[in-house]
Amino acid sequence: MDVVLLSLLFAGMTITAYLLLNSLYFKYRWTLLTPVLTTTTIIIILLLLFDVSYEQYMLGGQWIGSFLGPAVVALAVPLYKQRDLLIQNLWPVALGVISGAFVGMASGLLLAKTFRFSEELILTVLPKSLTSPVAMQLADGFGGIPSLAAVFVMVAGFSGVIFGSWLMKLLGIDSPIGRGIGLGSSAHGLGTAMAFEYGPEDGSMSSVAMTLCAVVGSFLGPALVWLFF
Amino acid sequence: MMKFAIIFIQIIVLYGIYLIGEEIRTLFRLPLPGSIIGFLLLFTALMLKIYPLRWIESGAHFLLAFLSLYFIPATVGAMEYGEVFTGKGVWLIAIVLVSTLITMAVSGLLSQWASRSADQRRGS
């Protein structure tokens, strides 16, 4: 088959599956139905079933992936709109975000190093508490594996969503600022969705924390890699 | 129709800012991703009122509404690394879980403590 036609087919298949599964998620709002997880699973099954290699799939897949960079740039808009919330709470946000970005990376790095994982895998785990598009680009820059980095980002998100409410109750984190920043700094997008269930202030705080952690992490990550490797 | 044209043009502008970020990254050999440099450029331009919000807002919202779509092709790539999670690699999942909870605890507790102590100083 023609390369262009094949690319169109794979891109179209991805978009169609995503839109369908996205509306399914919005209907039930069940974390396990998160569209990235469901769409990825279904596409992998389809590719295996029809014996298509990842390389072939990426002919079309890369078109979709090329929106990642501009989407990260676009995150400046929601952050700008929440600038008042950010400025009013500058000190708690700065402290939470900087500590969160640092602990998120350093703890993953130290744990993975303790268990003697390969350098490639440690560098892949490193940015897991940051939002996927940034985590993947960072992992790529470090010499890790971007697609596995995205998987670890998802594992982090699910960990936060599943154990977050229990942990925060245990530690007495019961303010919108504490919950929002805790969730946004550790469990990024999935955590932010959960924070909105606590309330709009939690949610806004979480999305501010998620975006700022991505920025702080982009500076801290290379510094940590330089220190440890 | 006009609305779609505006969204389309604004997405092209976002793409342009991203490319400028990539250009700066290569030029100065920065370890930062080009997209983050682009993000910082746009955020600064908005804060300094150099670039008005309404010239980028609908494009940014449209692009962000489907944010998780753009990394699906990458996550599908995990199919090539299945062997990582058989055997020792499974521990990486536990590591990520533990590290995520430590992160949440530290950032949540510190920010809550900071906001409460700030409130006290204000006398509220």
Side-chain angles (χ1 to χ4, degrees):
Chain A
M1 231 204 285
D2 186 27
V3 174
V4 179
L5 215 62
L6 209 60
S7 316
L8 273 173
L9 174 76
F10 292 139
M13 175 179 97
T14 310
I15 295 170
T16 313
Y18 174 81
L19 290 177
L20 287 174
L21 293 163
N22 199 29
S23 56
L24 186 76
Y25 169 72
F26 277 106
K27 197 169 168 197
Y28 295 102
R29 300 253 173 204
W30 197 40
T31 313
L32 266 181
L33 287 180
T34 299
V36 198
L37 191 65
T38 48
T39 314
T40 304
T41 314
I42 283 180
I43 288 174
I44 290 181
I45 293 172
L46 283 174
L47 296 182
L48 292 175
L49 217 59
F50 292 98
D51 205 22
V52 180
S53 73
Y54 180 60
E55 204 179 323
Q56 279 174 307
Y57 167 74
M58 277 310 273
L59 290 173
Q62 64 182 4
W63 292 359
I64 296 173
S66 66
F67 284 99
L68 269 181
V72 172
V73 176
L75 285 171
V77 169
L79 185 68
Y80 173 71
K81 287 169 85 175
Q82 284 161 338
R83 64 194 180 283
D84 291 338
L85 187 74
L86 173 64
I87 293 164
Q88 276 158 24
N89 299 290
L90 197 59
W91 161 234
V93 171
L95 190 67
V97 162
I98 293 170
S99 66
F102 177 75
V103 172
M105 292 184 138
S107 65
L109 189 152
L110 291 176
L111 282 167
K113 235 179 150 58
T114 314
F115 284 82
R116 297 179 189 282
F117 278 101
S118 69
E119 189 176 318
E120 192 184 37
L121 279 177
I122 297 176
L123 294 173
T124 305
V125 169
L126 192 66
K128 57 100 183 72
S129 56
L130 310 179
T131 183
S132 297
V134 178
M136 277 167 22
Q137 289 181 327
L138 279 178
D140 199 26
F142 298 155
I145 307 159
S147 34
L148 269 188
V151 172
F152 290 126
V153 169
M154 247 193 290
V155 174
F158 277 104
S159 308
V161 168
I162 295 169
F163 298 103
S165 56
W166 163 79
L167 180 76
M168 292 191 295
K169 203 176 270 175
L170 185 80
L171 297 173
I173 301 174
D174 51 11
S175 60
I177 289 186
R179 281 193 302 246
I181 295 178
L183 282 166
S185 318
S186 62
H188 40 80
L190 286 172
T192 300
M194 181 179 164
F196 271 109
E197 287 171 20
Y198 280 109
E201 202 186 331
D202 300 63
S204 306
M205 272 295 169
S206 182
S207 75
V208 166
M210 174 188 96
T211 307
L212 290 177
C213 268
V215 178
V216 174
S218 300
F219 284 89
L220 273 179
L224 279 173
V225 171
W226 180 78
L227 261 172
F228 280 89
F229 294 98
Chain B
M1 198 54 222
M2 192 56 197
K3 207 177 153 213
F4 277 106
I6 289 172
I7 290 176
F8 186 72
I9 292 167
Q10 293 185 347
I11 291 177
I12 292 176
V13 172
L14 286 165
Y15 209 96
I17 300 174
Y18 163 64
L19 290 180
I20 294 172
E22 283 292 341
E23 209 49 51
I24 294 177
R25 185 183 67 92
T26 7
L27 205 64
F28 297 99
R29 296 165 193 247
L30 298 173
L32 285 176
S35 57
I36 287 287
I37 299 172
F39 165 93
L40 292 171
L41 288 176
L42 178 59
F43 188 68
T44 313
L46 288 169
M47 285 303 265
L48 298 179
K49 315 262 180 220
I50 297 170
Y51 194 90
L53 179 64
R54 63 191 167 82
W55 285 8
I56 205 77
E57 195 177 10
S58 24
H61 280 294
F62 184 84
L63 208 54
L64 290 174
F66 307 104
L67 179 61
S68 54
L69 168 67
Y70 319 131
F71 45 86
I72 287 169
T75 48
V76 170
M79 71 190 261
E80 296 204 308
Y81 297 97
E83 81 279 4
V84 172
F85 296 103
T86 55
K88 195 188 168 194
V90 177
W91 287 100
L92 282 170
I93 292 178
I95 288 173
V96 170
L97 185 136
V98 171
S99 161
T100 301
L101 297 184
I102 298 175
T103 310
M104 188 186 295
V106 172
S107 63
L109 283 173
L110 282 178
S111 53
Q112 178 164 297
W113 167 78
S115 92
R116 287 199 175 144
S117 64
D119 283 346
Q120 264 169 9
R121 247 180 287 132
R122 280 192 215 113
S124 57

